[in-house]
Amino acid sequence: MTTITLAESLASLRSRIEAAARAAGRDPAAVTLVAVSKVQPDDRIEAALAAGQRVFGENRVQEAQARWAARREARPDLELRLIGPLQTNKAKDAVRLFDVIETVDRPKLARSLAEAMAATGRRLDCLIQVNTGEEPQKAGVVPRETEDLYRLCTEECGLPVRGLMCIPPVDEPPALHFALLADLAGKLGLPVLSMGMSDDFEVAVRYGATHVRVGTALFGARVVPPRPAEG
């Protein structure tokens, strides 16, 4: 059995993104691959860096701090994107570490981020996370309230909102949700669409994704730390 290296997986992903973009009549350079690095061991992260990947997505602030704080100093060309839910008490830590916050989903968080940016002197691009499936267990603003949250973020809080992000329901065709997100972004004049993951990123590209968030298809199955033995 042939083992595929991470560099080969990365090259294959980039080729697939390029093909999907060309099939949709889009410039492949308009689509950015965000490597979802949560819970990945150091050797896989280093292999991705060695292969030239520079844009990474993380779900949790504390985990990201441990993984990236030192690497950021050594690699100033890194771009870190927060793609998981953010608690308001972690807003300042997130603003210090990340370059983009993709998961703004409520007024309280918008105000906390505005305060954190003022306090740190860092101004980060933000995306509004939209719960396109209106799933009660999932973060994100419901579609009908997206414009109101956008106005609050930009007019009251002064946040630089650049686009929208979504995670479609697992049991529904993703195309419906990608089309909805693209329509919402178009009405607001927002250029950035973060949508599409390992199983559906090519569909997302067809619907205008500018950023696709890929973990398993790049790194392989997540490595879950073993539970400590019970005494």
Side-chain angles (χ1 to χ4, degrees), residues 150-173:
Y150 170 73
R151 299 298 175 199
L152 180 140
C153 288
T154 56
E155 295 172 9
E156 177 186 323
C157 300
L159 294 180
V161 177
R162 295 271 295 148
L164 305 178
M165 177 266 227
C166 77
I167 305 172
V170 297
D171 56 351
E172 295 183 18

Side-chain angles (χ1 to χ4, degrees), residues 2-229:
T2 302
T3 301
I4 299 176
T5 67
L6 196 141
E8 290 169 333
S9 293
L10 182 59
S12 174
L13 277 172
R14 288 174 173 165
S15 178
R16 289 170 62 187
I17 290 169
E18 179 177 352
R22 293 196 186 283
R26 300 181 59 204
D27 180 358
V31 185
T32 298
L33 170 62
V34 180
V36 179
S37 46
K38 61 181 181 181
V39 306
Q40 294 298 336
D42 278 349
D43 62 331
R44 294 186 186 179
I45 301 299
E46 288 300 323
L49 289 167
Q53 180 65 24
R54 291 295 181 270
V55 184
F56 292 85
E58 288 280 349
N59 274 48
R60 294 181 174 86
V61 175
Q62 192 169 347
E63 182 184 338
Q65 286 173 322
R67 178 173 293 120
W68 294 107
R71 288 187 171 103
R72 293 222 64 163
E73 294 182 10
R75 297 179 183 272
D77 57 340
L78 281 175
E79 180 179 299
L80 299 183
R81 305 176 72 93
L82 180 64
I83 60 174
L86 178 60
Q87 298 174 331
T88 54
N89 64 349
K90 296 287 186 181
K92 188 175 288 187
D93 288 338
V95 167
R96 286 194 180 106
L97 179 67
F98 288 94
D99 300 293
V100 180
I101 307 293
E102 293 201 7
T103 50
V104 181
D105 64 351
R106 58 199 187 279
K108 185 177 179 181
L109 177 57
R111 294 184 180 108
S112 294
L113 286 169
E115 291 173 4
M117 290 185 198
T120 60
R122 296 198 76 215
R123 187 168 171 80
L124 279 60
D125 282 350
C126 295
L127 307 186
I128 291 174
Q129 181 175 355
V130 182
N131 186 348
T132 55
E134 301 193 28
E135 299 173 275
Q137 79 281 11
K138 189 175 287 183
V141 63
V142 295
R144 64 183 175 277
E145 296 175 4
T146 302
E147 182 174 355
D148 288 342
L149 181 58
Y150 170 73
R151 299 298 175 199
L152 180 140
C153 288
T154 56
E155 295 172 9
E156 177 186 323
C157 300
L159 294 180
V161 177
R162 295 271 295 148
L164 305 178
M165 177 266 227
C166 77
I167 305 172
V170 297
D171 56 351
E172 295 183 18
L176 299 174
H177 297 271
F178 298 154
L180 172 58
L181 198 73
D183 182 62
L184 289 170
K187 289 177 179 176
L188 295 173
L190 297 173
V192 176
L193 284 171
S194 175
M195 57 189 193
M197 297 185 285
S198 289
D199 292 334
D200 55 23
F201 67 85
E202 286 153 314
V203 178
V205 170
R206 188 192 319 153
Y207 282 88
T210 61
H211 294 73
V212 293
R213 310 180 306 272
V214 179
T216 302
L218 173 59
F219 293 107
R222 295 177 190 169
V223 177
V224 180
R227 296 180 64 181

